[in-house]
Amino acid sequence: MKKTIALVMSSALVLSMLSACGSKNEQTASESGKKVKIEFFHYKPEAKKTFDKLIEKFEKENPNIDVVNVNPPEAETVLKTRAAKRDVPDVVGIGADTTFAELSKAGVFEDLTNASELDNIQPAYIKMLRDVTGLDKVYAIPYAANADGVIYNKAIFKELGLTVPKTWDEFIAVAEKVKAAGKTPFYFTFKDAWTTLPVYNALAANTQGETFFQDLNKGNTSFKEGYKEATEKFVKLLEYGHKDNFGKGYADGNVAFAKGESAMYLQGIWAIPEIKKANPNIELGVFPYPVTNNPEQTKLVSGVDLLLAISKTSKHPKEAKKFVDFLLDEENAKTYITEQNAFSAIKGLTQDDPTLDGLKESFAKGALVDFPDHYIPASINLANLLQQLTHDKDVDKFLKTMDSEWKKVQGRK
């Protein structure tokens, strides 16, 4: 299927080159006073209102440009289908994952390697784009970063005399103390399979080694070798959930945690706005997952959660670039990270929410590592496999399945 998409999209680029001369007038239409419509397609339903606000501001400043805010369910699947039909939106906002890698390799996006906008982006996030695509060229501008962190209820920690753990052993000891006090250490929401990913990403990223996926692609390692520790630790954490780990979903967990039904929540920082909606007065903190017993080796999982790419076949590339530059403006980027509780990929633009103070040292030191699942094709469906693991707790079966599925993907390339 990937080869088919790539071939179709390559054909689309040939067609677009042949028709380029006929589209020059359209590209500068807004400058000549004509009304131009561009499409901003993204995969962030929780950010739709924020983008609505920013788009309204952009359109007031640029009355000849209409921006359509498009955010369909299963956005990445929709995007790949549209790309195969040579119907790529003008501006695309997705994560730096395998979908972005596939589309970049197929030539769907403008080459931004030499774009001046990259000069103001933190190099670590530009490197992540190159790492996930395996390409030297850069086909998007990193915009915002998220982070996996253990969210904790400060009131419960104070009540039980707990301190933030720095090592794996301390982490388990804290969970044991919470459990011994008759409270729930972690609130799991495994009804939604994807909620297995935040904690597993943190465990894997801190134990797999720096070259795991390069070695895996060369056939020099396996999930059985590189992911055993992470998987065993994942199963260990399951001992500290509540009575209905499989009957509750993400929305349930946000509300339950907001009500004080657990001391910790193994999620990402994107959950914090939803928790505060349910309880504006809750006092929260966040700390990096302490995966090993060496705090100096702890890295915060923080990848490019949102990038901005411009379609190679856009009829209005100047207007598309103008919108991207608008979003990159410091004031507008600040609006996004404030409302979405995210970190900016832009140099010098900080996240000021005190709730996230526990993560700032990791950013300051550059102790960051990308989300491992960004390198695992969607066809493997890691979330569903992890969801099954929460039921049967069979580490060997899970690892064997991962290796088997990976070989299938490699065989289709």
Side-chain angles (χ1 to χ4, degrees):
M1 181 61 184
K2 289 181 183 176
K3 289 182 179 177
T4 303
I5 291 175
L7 287 171
V8 173
M9 290 190 288
S10 296
S11 300
L13 296 180
V14 174
L15 289 173
S16 70
M17 291 172 67
L18 292 173
S19 61
C21 294
S23 63
K24 283 185 179 179
N25 290 334
E26 285 187 305
Q27 292 173 3
T28 58
S30 66
E31 295 174 0
S32 63
K34 294 180 181 179
K35 199 81 166 178
V36 164
K37 183 178 289 187
I38 63 173
E39 183 180 357
F40 174 44
F41 180 105
H42 64 94
Y43 79 144
K44 302 286 288 182
E46 67 275 17
K48 195 170 190 303
K49 290 184 179 179
T50 297
F51 283 129
D52 281 339
K53 181 192 299 184
L54 290 171
I55 287 170
E56 182 179 0
K57 179 182 177 183
F58 175 78
E59 290 177 342
K60 283 182 180 179
E61 296 176 7
N62 300 275
N64 291 327
I65 306 175
D66 282 340
V67 180
V68 183
N69 187 355
V70 179
N71 173 235
E74 303 294 333
E76 292 192 29
T77 300
V78 172
L79 179 61
K80 287 192 281 189
T81 301
R82 288 186 57 177
K85 295 178 179 178
R86 306 196 297 272
D87 179 30
V88 182
D90 300 279
V91 179
V92 173
I94 55 176
D97 56 13
T98 53
T99 296
F100 170 68
E102 289 173 30
L103 297 179
S104 296
K105 290 173 183 176
V108 168
F109 302 129
E110 285 282 359
D111 178 2
L112 301 176
T113 309
N114 298 316
S116 60
E117 287 84 353
L118 288 177
D119 295 340
N120 202 31
I121 301 297
Q122 295 183 50
Y125 294 118
I126 299 173
K127 182 178 183 298
M128 287 180 187
L129 296 195
R130 288 192 168 105
D131 286 346
V132 78
T133 62
L135 303 171
D136 291 330
K137 292 185 177 180
V138 179
Y139 289 94
I141 308 292
Y143 187 61
N146 258 327
D148 270 357
V150 179
I151 307 171
Y152 69 102
N153 185 313
K154 288 188 174 182
I156 293 178
F157 265 54
K158 184 177 181 180
E159 175 191 344
L160 300 181
L162 304 172
T163 56
V164 171
K166 301 291 186 182
T167 69
W168 174 257
D169 288 346
E170 290 174 0
F171 192 31
I172 297 301
V174 166
E176 287 284 359
K177 288 178 182 178
V178 174
K179 191 174 181 179
K183 298 181 182 293
T184 301
F186 309 125
Y187 201 96
F188 293 122
T189 55
F190 297 146
K191 183 178 180 181
D192 290 330
W194 74 266
T195 65
T196 59
L197 293 171
V199 61
Y200 196 77
N201 271 323
L203 295 171
N206 280 278
T207 57
Q208 68 185 14
E210 294 184 3
T211 61
F212 175 75
F213 282 102
Q214 293 95 313
D215 294 338
L216 189 64
N217 282 321
K218 294 175 183 176
N220 294 334
T221 190
S222 64
F223 285 100
K224 185 177 181 180
E225 293 175 40
Y227 272 41
K228 186 174 183 181
E229 182 180 350
T231 308
E232 288 176 343
K233 288 182 172 179
F234 179 82
V235 170
K236 176 66 178 177
L237 294 176
L238 302 180
E239 298 175 15
Y240 302 99
H242 53 94
K243 293 180 180 179
D244 194 16
N245 293 337
F246 312 107
K248 303 296 183 181
Y250 176 62
D252 303 314
N254 293 336
V255 173
F257 183 71
K259 291 180 178 179
E261 293 185 25
S262 74
M264 293 170 281
Y265 196 31
L266 303 183
Q267 258 297 339
I269 61 175
W270 52 83
I272 292 174
E274 297 303 312
I275 294 167
K276 288 184 175 179
K277 281 180 187 177
N279 181 3
N281 298 318
I282 191 169
E283 191 177 0
L284 300 175
V286 189
F287 58 86
Y289 284 84
V291 178
T292 73
N293 284 323
N294 186 349
E296 296 303 313
Q297 293 180 351
T298 296
K299 290 189 176 181
L300 178 69
V301 174
S302 173
V304 180
D305 181 60
L306 184 66
L307 53 78
L308 302 172
I310 298 173
S311 168
K312 185 86 171 179
T313 54
S314 172
K315 293 181 179 179
H316 307 291
K318 286 191 175 181
E319 287 79 5
K321 183 178 181 298
K322 196 168 191 177
F323 179 62
V324 168
D325 287 342
F326 169 85
L327 292 178
L328 290 169
D329 176 80
E330 185 171 316
E331 181 180 332
N332 301 323
K334 187 73 171 180
T335 295
Y336 180 87
I337 65 169
T338 299
E339 293 193 3
Q340 295 304 310
N341 224 76
F343 287 88
S344 181
I346 299 171
K347 293 177 181 176
L349 194 57
T350 59
Q351 170 55 259
D352 300 325
D353 185 348
T355 301
L356 302 175
D357 283 349
L359 304 182
K360 290 181 180 178
E361 183 181 352
S362 298
F363 280 95
K365 293 192 305 183
L368 307 173
V369 63
D370 202 358
F371 289 78
D373 69 328
H374 284 181
Y375 298 79
I376 297 175
S379 59
I380 290 181
N381 208 331
L382 176 60
N384 281 5
L385 295 177
L386 286 169
Q387 188 183 48
Q388 181 60 41
L389 178 63
T390 65
H391 283 279
D392 60 35
K393 301 180 179 62
D394 191 332
V395 172
D396 290 338
K397 174 186 172 185
F398 170 80
L399 295 173
K400 184 177 180 180
T401 302
M402 287 294 293
D403 281 324
S404 173
E405 292 300 310
W406 184 267
K407 287 178 181 178
K408 289 179 185 177
V409 171
Q410 295 298 94
R412 291 195 290 266
K413 287 185 177 180

